[in-house]
Amino acid sequence: MRSRIGLGLTVLAATGALLVPPWLAWREARRQAWESESAAALAYARDVMHRTDDTARQIVRATSRMNRSGLAPCSPAALALMRDIALSSSYLQAVGYVRDGALACSSLGTMPLPLGGQSFRTASGAVLYPHVPTGASASVLAAQLGDYAALMHQELPVDATAAPADVALGVLHLEQHRTAIARGAVDVAWIDRLGARRAATFVDGGRLVVVVRSKLDTIAAVAAMPAGQVERRAREIAARLVPAGLLCGIAACAAVVLFARRRRSIEAAIGQALRRNEFFVLYQPIVNLQTGEWVGAEALLRWRRADGELVGPDAFIPVAEQTGLIVRLTERVVRLVGEDAGRFLAEHPGFHIAINLSAADMHSPAIVDHLAGMLARCGARASNLMVEITERGFLRLDAAQATVAALRKRGIAVAIDDFGTGYSSLSYLQRLDLDYLKIDRAFVETIGTDAPTSGVVGMIIDMARTMRLTMVAEGIESPAQAAYLRERGVEFAQGWLFGKPMPFADIAARMTETRREAA
Ligand code: C2E
Ligand code: MG
Ligand code: MG
């Protein structure tokens, strides 16, 4: 069942690893396409707007120059100035003097020129004649300010453009809510989408539309391109990105498969190692810091593979924990401790062995009977045993609480291991009745250094004392560390300074010596 779930999860992870990168690449292609095509449409709209603004500026400049000139209308000097202005204004066709709805004279000469019947007044006071009958094919617009008007080609802002033919361009009158100029289909309703903003980008009727408000505030320029253009661009970009994504996907998928196979092979190897008795236990002394006496030892599992390779617990305990094999490994450790140390324990009631338990061990009461059975078989007592549980062992707090209570009821002491390395060690201390707290090596290492966490050891010691927990400091490598902890009243210690993990026979021999030395 467990292996079938494992296989299902592996297939799921491998499929995800394969498909997610190309999918992300496709999304990225669409994002880039939208961004680049919106930027292009915005550039076209801005181009139209700049030309419209420039034209408006030239009209204002030309008419106000004439209005302020003080020259008699249609005098030779006025005609010369109008010609001058028309020649120097790039967007203006002509400048003329208006009388009775017609140009009485202009930069083109003294021939009167009708301005066409339809006219309207803008908010800024200009009078626009949108259809000046010049006889030319291009539609000409006249804008009058004061007594003078300037003529220009109506389509000029949308004509001289780099935009491709399928991009519709236009100038919209915001106040009159109408289209002033358009090249291609432009919808006046797009004004509403602009709202109070300076620019708006949206999709409408299968087109990507950009509307930009002019600085003059009364007009807006618009560019609309077929939305299919965005799709085409997305496909172009995807043609580059998706294969790269697919390669990443294949690599990630291969990594998942390799990882799963490696895990399965470690899992299979652990099972085989259990059958072939390749596991053994080394014992690291636990020392009374005040007297130096060896009062106990921690059982640390080792695996010697058939080819002689020695494998440390960090390489196989996590896999065993994930696959549920840890329960069998713990059973093996308990059995090996009984075999290695049973007789010694029966003869030394004051000496204890500490056994590491995992989360899975804590979730079933079977471990309690198991430990008690081992003690009974060798004639040892509950005081000969201690269990060490890391924070992970307390994750399912209710189950763990019941196991801790059952162990302590039998007289087996319980320690929290690697204290301070998890997320909420403190909350476990509050909710569980424990006997020992093992200060993790990570904090002991900082003693006497200027590491930012060097003050943490002191805080842990104070807290353990408040909670009436006996302390064991782990990973002591220097006499200075030992001295610091001794001064602060830490009861027990463990570390290379006193002894590395060793066969139990060495522990037994040395323990008697240290007892004699301490006496
Ligand atoms: P742990 O329970 O915190 O054990 C202490 C680890 O620190 C041991 O590593 C020990 O060899 C190492 N150590 C002790 N003193 C020193 C020192 O002064 N300096 C340094 N650098 N290291 C020191 P080990 O044996 O590799 O075990 C690693 C972890 O594997 C253990 O950490 C424990 O969590 C786990 N483990 C070991 N045996 C078992 C087992 O039988 N069952 C379970 N569930 N976990 C085990
Ligand atoms: Mg431990
Ligand atoms: Mg530890």
Side-chain angles (χ1 to χ4, degrees):
M1 180 65 178
R2 186 184 276 274
S3 78
R4 212 177 287 165
I5 293 174
L7 185 68
L9 285 176
T10 305
V11 170
L12 208 68
T15 314
L18 181 68
L19 297 180
V20 167
W23 175 73
L24 286 177
W26 170 241
R27 271 189 41 160
E28 176 59 15
R30 288 184 63 94
R31 192 193 63 76
Q32 283 186 17
W34 169 263
E35 221 162 63
S36 77
E37 294 311 290
S38 316
L42 182 66
Y44 298 144
R46 283 216 172 114
D47 186 36
V48 170
M49 191 189 73
H50 287 318
R51 239 168 300 122
T52 311
D53 285 353
D54 284 350
T55 311
R57 223 171 288 127
Q58 288 188 10
I59 290 169
V60 171
R61 212 179 302 133
T63 50
S64 62
R65 242 181 107 184
M66 287 312 301
N67 282 321
R68 281 191 278 107
S69 70
L71 297 170
C74 300
S75 62
L79 286 173
L81 184 57
M82 287 194 288
R83 219 170 287 130
D84 233 35
I85 293 171
L87 281 173
S88 60
S89 308
S90 48
Y91 293 149
L92 302 186
Q93 304 297 305
V95 183
Y97 175 68
V98 185
R99 191 191 297 139
D100 303 330
L103 291 188
C105 62
S106 72
S107 53
L108 301 171
T110 47
M111 279 238 309
L113 193 66
L115 288 172
Q118 289 177 339
S119 70
F120 62 89
R121 188 176 283 274
T122 69
S124 58
V127 180
L128 297 185
Y129 301 83
H131 304 293
V132 180
T134 57
S137 59
S139 163
V140 170
L141 168 111
Q144 181 189 351
L145 278 162
D147 293 332
Y148 286 86
L151 266 54
M152 53 164 238
H153 279 306
Q154 182 96 270
E155 262 81 39
L156 183 106
V158 295
D159 262 359
T161 174
D166 60 354
V167 177
L169 300 171
V171 177
L172 306 173
H173 274 296
L174 299 180
E175 287 162 353
Q176 285 129 22
H177 209 268
R178 67 179 189 87
T179 309
I181 325 163
R183 186 193 85 171
V186 168
D187 188 345
V188 74
W190 291 339
I191 290 177
D192 306 330
R193 303 284 289 263
L194 186 60
R197 287 175 291 174
R198 293 230 67 87
T201 305
F202 50 89
V203 172
D204 183 47
R207 284 188 299 167
L208 167 64
V209 183
V210 174
V211 187
V212 191
R213 183 191 294 274
S214 152
K215 284 201 197 77
L216 300 174
D217 252 4
T218 52
I219 54 169
V222 61
M225 65 167 64
Q229 176 64 27
V230 181
E231 293 298 320
R232 249 194 317 280
R233 184 93 187 96
R235 278 197 294 276
E236 274 169 33
I237 300 172
R240 277 185 286 116
L241 292 189
V242 172
L246 203 61
L247 277 181
C248 290
I250 291 169
C253 178
V256 168
V257 170
L258 271 176
F259 179 76
R261 276 183 54 173
R262 207 181 104 79
R263 234 190 67 163
R264 281 180 76 84
S265 74
I266 296 181
E267 188 184 346
I270 293 174
Q272 201 175 44
L274 276 166
R275 287 190 294 280
R276 291 182 178 170
N277 291 320
E278 289 174 3
F279 290 106
F280 64 101
V281 175
L282 290 182
Y283 300 81
Q284 186 177 31
I286 296 171
V287 176
N288 179 327
L289 252 185
Q290 303 301 326
T291 64
E293 186 187 345
W294 288 15
V295 295
E298 178 174 4
L300 294 163
L301 191 57
R302 298 288 182 268
W303 176 9
R304 190 180 309 281
R305 303 192 67 157
D307 59 5
E309 183 198 353
L310 190 66
V311 187
D314 291 335
F316 62 86
I317 296 274
V319 179
E321 283 179 337
Q322 285 159 20
T323 55
L325 275 169
I326 190 69
V327 176
R328 288 177 61 199
L329 275 184
T330 305
E331 279 174 20
R332 180 61 55 90
V333 171
V334 173
R335 199 184 86 195
L336 288 169
V337 166
E339 288 169 11
D340 293 342
R343 262 198 32 214
F344 183 90
L345 293 178
E347 290 163 8
H348 297 86
F351 193 89
H352 76 269
I353 300 282
I355 293 180
N356 290 287
L357 297 185
S358 287
D361 300 315
M362 297 303 293
H363 298 159
S364 134
I367 184 68
V368 186
D369 296 333
H370 216 76
L371 290 167
M374 185 270 279
L375 288 172
R377 273 194 302 281
C378 5
R381 299 160 190 78
S383 60
N384 284 128
L385 218 52
M386 181 202 286
V387 296
E388 297 188 3
I389 307 156
T390 62
E391 207 177 293
R392 283 194 314 279
F394 298 127
L395 279 181
R396 274 170 57 188
L397 199 59
D398 288 349
Q401 236 162 356
T403 311
V404 167
L407 285 163
R408 297 186 77 235
K409 202 168 153 213
R410 294 251 187 175
I412 298 172
V414 179
I416 183 162
D417 199 358
D418 302 347
F419 184 79
T421 56
Y423 289 115
S424 51
S425 316
L426 263 178
S427 78
Y428 292 119
L429 285 196
Q430 270 176 350
R431 296 167 72 174
L432 290 155
D433 255 340
L434 302 169
D435 304 286
Y436 288 85
L437 180 150
K438 294 193 79 172
I439 304 170
D440 194 70
R441 178 159 62 91
F443 303 113
V444 171
E445 261 175 4
T446 64
I447 292 173
T449 69
D450 52 6
T453 48
S454 61
V456 176
V457 185
M459 282 157 58
I460 295 179
I461 293 171
D462 289 345
M463 196 199 50
R465 192 158 300 122
T466 316
M467 305 201 79
R468 296 178 202 289
L469 291 166
T470 309
M471 288 168 272
V472 184
E474 293 187 276
I476 297 178
E477 295 183 356
S478 74
Q481 291 167 341
Y484 174 95
L485 294 160
R486 191 179 303 120
E487 268 166 36
R488 274 156 191 79
V490 172
E491 293 88 350
F492 301 104
Q494 189 182 341
W496 292 352
L497 178 66
F498 311 105
K500 289 193 173 179
M502 58 185 86
F504 192 76
D506 297 351
I507 292 272
R510 183 84 185 104
M511 180 259 177
T512 330
E513 277 172 39
T514 59
R515 175 173 285 183
R516 220 176 299 127
E517 285 162 17

